[in-house]
Amino acid sequence: MRHEKAGRLLELARLLASTAEGLTLDEMAGRMGVGRRTAERMRDAVRDVFPQLEEVDDPPTRRFRIPSGLDGLFQAPTAEELAALASAAETFAAQGAGARAQALRSLEQKVLSATRAAARRRLAPDLEALLQAETIAVQAGPRPFEDDTVLQSVRDALKGLSTLSFRYEGGSQPGRLREVTPYGILFGRANYLVASEGEGRPRNWRLDRIRDVAVTGAAARRDPAFSLQDYADESFGIYQDDTQDVVLRILPASAEGALRWRFHSDQTLEQRADGSVVVRFRASGMRELAWHLFTWGDQVEVLAPAILKRTLIDQIELARAAHTTGSVATGS
């Protein structure tokens, strides 16, 4: 029990050392999953061990932080943490996300180089065992475009609050020079820049269609109310269209899988007496959702909206026509 309490105090100390602005008592309580009174006692205990704990006035609250960070003695990684980092890098590499894979490998090297030699020697056998025993199951699918130059330029513009210029080989005027205000990047089966052109609303620009990208240095005037997460949550996938109230019924035979499945970040699940599960959420991107529903076969019923049902039927008919029109060569 004493060991567990010490571990929790060290976890809080790491949180306080990892933030520049500090944490309030309520934020500490939320991060640690405890009540405010317990957070106060934990803060006081951390102060006894780390007297450099600093209090910052931030009316109407106070914030706390350890500005000088923690000594490497308290920061040695575990074999499980390093294995997770290596696994994430391999996942990115398998998906074609070379730039992000390299960033994680560089981080892994920095963590190991900052770890004391004795700790590295203790970690080595367990880390080797985990790396040999765990691997990534590669799934079929597109490999997203991830060019270092394009990605770095977009990130430089985002960090510098600058507009971005490029030639876009897509849309109604391929090759036209664009100047946009960048809002963020959506990573997925394809990678997209979210940006607005002129006074227009933010929309998606495929990174693999961007050419001659440059950071202009001109001030980017972003809508302060825009949330990239909210924007991403509006759509089932990447495509943006009218937002719909989606209601799906998963038949009893697949109900267990549906309860563990995430269709949307804001979904609600209802288990019915017949054993089926009803899934509800609001999203756009009905065509992409229809493509996904193919994978559920006859185990899903679209209850709403009507446009999703029509889209699914249309996609089924297109697939059927593609496989029944003309002669089909077969091998022996």
Side-chain angles (χ1 to χ4, degrees), residues 43-122:
R43 175 208 59 193
D44 293 341
V46 167
R47 181 185 279 128
D48 291 340
V49 181
F50 300 98
Q52 66 268 39
L53 179 69
E54 182 178 87
E55 186 174 316
V56 181
D57 284 329
D58 184 20
T61 62
R62 287 178 298 170
R63 293 182 172 275
F64 301 88
R65 65 189 180 190
I66 300 177
S68 56
L70 299 185
D71 186 87
L73 175 65
F74 302 101
Q75 299 290 63
T78 65
E80 289 77 11
E81 289 169 340
L82 289 172
L85 187 57
S87 176
E90 289 302 315
T91 299
F92 276 143
Q95 294 172 347
R100 285 178 289 163
Q102 183 54 42
L104 288 184
R105 288 173 179 142
S106 175
L107 175 60
E108 179 185 22
Q109 292 172 358
K110 290 176 182 177
V111 170
L112 285 171
S113 66
T115 303
R116 298 187 179 191
R120 287 201 304 271
R121 286 194 294 270
R122 288 195 303 270

Side-chain angles (χ1 to χ4, degrees), residues 274-313:
D274 64 356
S276 64
V277 173
V278 173
V279 186
R280 294 182 172 87
F281 55 90
R282 281 180 58 81
S284 61
M286 293 300 99
R287 184 171 62 169
E288 212 165 349
L289 177 53
W291 292 342
H292 172 71
L293 294 181
F294 269 113
T295 65
W296 287 84
D298 62 354
Q299 294 300 297
V300 63
E301 177 187 0
V302 177
L303 301 182
I307 188 173
L308 175 57
K309 189 177 295 187
R310 290 196 303 270
T311 301
L312 181 58
I313 292 171

Side-chain angles (χ1 to χ4, degrees), residues 141-216:
R143 289 169 62 85
F145 171 88
E146 193 160 307
D147 180 86
D148 288 358
T149 301
V150 173
L151 202 55
Q152 190 59 53
S153 295
V154 171
R155 286 171 166 165
D156 287 345
L158 288 167
K159 291 185 292 184
L161 302 178
S162 168
T163 62
L164 197 67
S165 71
F166 53 81
R167 297 191 184 279
Y168 193 63
E169 300 298 336
S172 59
Q173 297 177 295
R176 176 186 161 195
L177 183 64
R178 315 273 186 158
E179 184 172 342
V180 303
T181 295
Y183 281 86
I185 306 169
L186 294 179
F187 292 110
R189 290 181 298 176
N191 296 334
Y192 291 82
L193 164 67
V194 179
S196 63
E197 187 175 22
E199 299 299 320
R201 295 180 57 196
R203 64 187 184 92
N204 298 337
W205 310 76
R206 277 180 49 166
L207 292 186
D208 61 335
R209 294 178 178 173
I210 289 177
R211 305 285 186 272
D212 304 326
V213 62
V215 180
T216 67

